[in-house]
Amino acid sequence: MPRHGRGDLRVTLSRRRLETARSLLFVPGNRPDRFAKAASAGADAVIVDLEDAVAPQDKNLARDHVAAWLGAGNSAVVRVNAPGTPWFDADLAVAARYSAPVMVPKSEDPAVLADLACRTAGGCLLIPLIETAAGVERATEVCATPGAVRVVFGNADFSGQLGIAHDDHIALTYARSRLVSASAAAGLCPPVDGVTIGVKDTDALTVDVVHARRLGFTGKLCIHPAQIATVTTHFAPTESEQRWARAVVAAGDSVTVVDGQMVDKPVLERARRILTAGGGQNSSQNDLQGARNGP
């Protein structure tokens, strides 16, 4: 069961932070020596990973490390092991004890997600990690699950299932676009893109972020602190986008023409979202929706 009082406040703050997060940094759950470093690295959110980063023989000890970190008053998303695995129940219990947001691997069944929300009495925000073909095809239902705050695309596992390269933009366009559309249909903030495996390949990372942003994503998973600055920078509105937005807003609420282009209500709303997003990382990422490609 989740905590009450202070725990409720932590959930509220977590929702706001998760909705605005551009960079979400993984840290292995079996490396407690890295927890504080990850928390101070400048990411918008830290994900302590009990799943892929931890070998089976280390999972129980890793869970203890995460419980100690959260119990000391620190905040983090907990990527639990997938439902149905031997470690899932104990992982979920730790997250629920501290009202920590839960990233759920292999999210594809809305009934399973709804059960998680029920088991935690709504005290844990859910971040469905969609990384299977079934999850992509059921994305609308997954996004609409009560308790889901934002979805994440697991490009590595998904591409492995399909037998395609994890960094093939064309091959993964359908899946990414489906998650963007499903999120909007469910009223969620835009989704978070998956990983770029080249830890210090800034060029590849930049290309991946620009592509994801163009499709409608507003955040990305990071596997190393060196990736945070690039992700944060390239998910922010550009200077040209902000100049355009200021000109549109300055023209007023009536239908008019700016730089030879008609400006009506939808265009004005997009301009306002760009300016809100440009105000800093704490702006609502929902305000970024519609501001993907600029003018």
Side-chain angles (χ1 to χ4, degrees):
M1 293 294 291
R3 288 179 172 181
H4 297 287
R6 182 179 177 184
D8 293 339
L9 176 60
R10 179 179 294 181
V11 169
T12 300
L13 295 174
S14 294
R15 173 179 289 277
R16 187 178 303 117
R17 190 169 186 85
L18 290 173
E19 288 177 340
T20 65
R22 295 174 184 167
S23 56
L24 296 89
L25 177 65
F26 276 122
V27 60
N30 62 337
R31 295 298 305 270
D33 55 306
R34 295 183 181 178
F35 291 178
K37 294 178 182 178
S40 63
D44 296 321
V46 171
I47 306 166
V48 287
D49 188 11
L50 295 175
E51 194 210 14
D52 285 349
V54 181
Q57 65 271 19
D58 297 328
K59 289 189 182 290
N60 291 336
L61 182 58
R63 187 187 311 113
D64 291 341
H65 290 318
V66 171
W69 174 254
L70 296 174
N74 300 294
S75 297
V77 176
V78 179
R79 179 161 78 165
V80 299
N81 287 279
T85 64
W87 311 283
F88 169 72
D89 288 336
D91 291 351
L92 185 65
V94 167
R97 189 184 312 156
Y98 300 104
S99 298
V102 176
M103 179 175 284
V104 186
K106 305 296 188 296
S107 290
E108 59 185 34
D109 187 344
V112 171
L113 293 171
D115 179 64
L116 301 191
C118 181
R119 289 174 61 179
T120 61
C124 292
L125 299 172
L126 302 182
I127 306 173
L129 178 58
I130 298 179
E131 50 187 345
T132 65
V136 169
E137 295 305 324
R138 302 186 73 178
T140 302
E141 299 168 74
V142 169
C143 289
T145 302
V149 63
R150 199 175 181 189
V151 299
V152 177
F153 181 43
N155 58 311
D157 282 54
F158 179 76
S159 60
Q161 183 183 13
L162 270 60
I164 58 179
H166 69 275
D167 57 354
D168 189 327
H169 290 170
I170 294 177
L172 296 176
T173 296
Y174 166 76
R176 284 191 166 105
S177 294
R178 189 166 178 85
L179 264 58
V180 171
S181 180
S183 296
L188 297 184
C189 292
V192 176
D193 196 27
V195 301
T196 297
I197 292 178
V199 172
K200 296 186 178 180
D201 189 341
T202 303
D203 291 340
L205 179 61
T206 299
V207 170
D208 284 352
V209 174
V210 170
H211 175 73
R213 183 173 183 254
R214 185 178 182 187
L215 291 178
F217 286 77
T218 56
K220 185 172 177 66
L221 297 177
C222 300
I223 57 174
H224 192 279
Q227 297 179 325
I228 294 171
T230 298
V231 168
T232 300
T233 297
H234 289 285
F235 271 119
T238 65
E239 286 296 327
S240 63
E241 287 173 334
Q242 294 188 66
R243 285 195 300 270
W244 171 83
R246 285 193 290 269
V248 169
V249 171
D253 294 339
S254 300
V255 176
T256 186
V257 174
V258 175
D259 293 335
Q261 297 182 349
M262 184 189 76
V263 173
D264 57 4
K265 183 178 179 181
V267 176
L268 181 60
E269 289 176 353
R270 183 178 67 168
R272 287 172 174 159
R273 290 167 181 167
I274 290 174
L275 294 180
T276 299
Q281 294 181 37
N282 291 328
S283 301
S284 172
Q285 288 292 23
N286 195 37
D287 289 339
L288 277 173
Q289 191 174 1
R292 315 289 183 243
N293 300 319

